[in-house]
Amino acid sequence: MQIPPASVSGINGFNSAQSGLTQATIDVARSEPAQQSAELKAEAPDKTDALVKATQSVNQAEASAEVIETADETIGTIIDIKV
């Protein structure tokens, strides 16, 4: 099993966070019809849940940015030591 570089993991995490935030934004913005059948209400996303997922996605993006920054600093340190 090959372990990907930290920068790739950070970018993948950032992309995942972006997708999650996009979906949460769509769920929050989705309008609810005035009258819904019980079946449609079960399928409609909960706005509170969508807002929590949006916050989680923002936190994931911030953590992924830290991973990318740390990987960059580590590579810089390794290059400085080797030179």
Side-chain angles (χ1 to χ4, degrees), residues 23-34:
Q23 184 59 50
T25 303
I26 291 168
D27 291 344
V28 168
R30 187 174 296 163
S31 63
E32 296 178 14

Side-chain angles (χ1 to χ4, degrees), residues 9-30:
S9 295
I11 291 170
N12 288 342
F14 196 80
N15 289 337
S16 175
Q18 185 178 12
S19 296
L21 185 59
T22 300
Q23 184 59 50
T25 303
I26 291 168
D27 291 344
V28 168
R30 187 174 296 163

Side-chain angles (χ1 to χ4, degrees), residues 45-71:
D46 180 30
K47 295 208 184 289
T48 304
D49 186 45
L51 289 170
V52 169
K53 288 180 181 178
T55 303
Q56 289 173 339
S57 294
V58 169
N59 291 339
Q60 180 182 2
E62 290 173 350
S64 296
E66 287 290 325
V67 168
I68 294 168
E69 184 178 332
T70 302

